[in-house]
Amino acid sequence: MNVYETYDMGELINGNPYVGRGIVIGKSEDGKNAVIAYFIMGRSENSRNRVFVENGDEVIIHPFDASKVEDPSLIIYSPIKVFENKTIVTNGDQTDTIYDFVKDGKSFEEALDTREFEPDGPNWTPRISGMLTFKGNDFTYKMSILKSADLEGSACNRYTFSYNALNGVGNFIHTYVTDGNPIPTFMGEPERVKIPNDIDEFKDTIWSNLNENNKISIYVRYINLENGKIENRMINKNRKD
């Protein structure tokens, strides 16, 4: 495998029944936009009972049908928050942990040192996180995964990856390899993927290739590096009109 090769997002996820929740961070091919994508999938009724809702720069996950919520702690959270020149995206309530730490002048890593994988044995779903830091007309970004060290969930291993943003290149991290029992967790470094200039092309590439039965919602954000203008796209399989 060529370590510098970038892959098409659609090809990476097509035919895979369950990659879980996924984060993509990168820069558009023309170098004009920072790009974020976050999607969620679900197998259980509790997991599928969700929609994304925008609240300014923040994205919040709400239950589609509040009467069916079994465990709100694992399905209701803010996957995207912004603090000054930092944009945070995660698959759980560690968004708030990172936000609070950076607000206090501490680091992404320090925040995640206080957290671990989700308490949903035997799967021990990893916590995946990312943070973009903007400076001038460019940005750098970090990604993290907190994984169980063993089948018993007895300890947490923490992995952090730091990136300079490259034109047309993104990194994709997701919670699971594929479906299973227990579900096998993501392994290795975040995958290098192609980031197009067009937000709708990128959104459609991901959404159309996610497993139809298990996909729930997707949110894509393009941030103009020159003027800070934000463009968003959101799809909820469950509509909340």
Side-chain angles (χ1 to χ4, degrees), residues 119-166:
D120 62 342
N123 295 318
W124 311 119
T125 300
R127 291 190 186 271
I128 54 174
S129 308
M131 185 173 76
L132 299 78
T133 300
F134 296 88
K135 186 175 182 180
N137 292 331
D138 209 350
F139 69 103
T140 57
Y141 59 101
K142 295 182 178 182
M143 303 184 88
S144 163
I145 184 166
L146 311 181
K147 298 171 54 174
S148 177
D150 55 28
L151 292 174
E152 290 72 40
S154 65
C156 181
N157 291 339
R158 297 176 170 84
Y159 305 86
T160 303
F161 307 89
S162 299
Y163 299 97
N164 291 301
L166 303 177

Side-chain angles (χ1 to χ4, degrees), residues 7 14 23 40 45 49 53 61 70 73 78 104 115 118 125 139 160 171 183 186 192 202 206 216 218 225 227 230 239:
Y7 297 89
N14 184 270
I23 296 171
I40 60 175
E45 186 175 13
N49 182 35
V53 178
I61 294 180
E70 298 169 10
S73 68
S78 296
D104 290 340
R115 303 303 304 269
E118 295 179 4
T125 300
F139 69 103
T160 303
N171 291 94
I183 316 173
F186 179 88
R192 284 170 61 100
F202 194 46
I206 300 173
I216 301 169
I218 185 172
L225 293 170
N227 58 29
I230 292 175
R239 297 288 298 278

Side-chain angles (χ1 to χ4, degrees), residues 26-27 32-36 132 134 139 221-225:
K27 187 190 284 188
K32 293 182 178 180
N33 292 283
V35 175
I36 304 167
L132 299 78
F134 296 88
F139 69 103
R221 174 173 295 180
Y222 275 47
I223 305 163
N224 188 287
L225 293 170

Side-chain angles (χ1 to χ4, degrees), residues 4 78 83 89 95 132-133 138 150 153 172 177 184 187-188 203 238:
Y4 300 116
S78 296
F83 175 71
V89 53
T95 307
L132 299 78
T133 300
D138 209 350
D150 55 28
F172 172 39
V177 175
M187 298 182 293
K203 175 258 295 175
N238 296 317

Side-chain angles (χ1 to χ4, degrees), residues 204-241:
D204 292 340
T205 294
I206 300 173
W207 186 250
S208 65
N209 284 287
L210 286 171
N211 179 271
E212 182 64 32
N213 293 327
N214 293 324
K215 66 184 180 182
I216 301 169
S217 297
I218 185 172
Y219 189 89
V220 179
R221 174 173 295 180
Y222 275 47
I223 305 163
N224 188 287
L225 293 170
E226 184 176 348
N227 58 29
K229 181 181 178 182
I230 292 175
E231 191 173 7
N232 300 321
R233 296 289 188 273
M234 181 172 67
I235 301 175
N236 286 312
K237 193 173 181 181
N238 296 317
R239 297 288 298 278
K240 196 175 182 71
D241 297 325

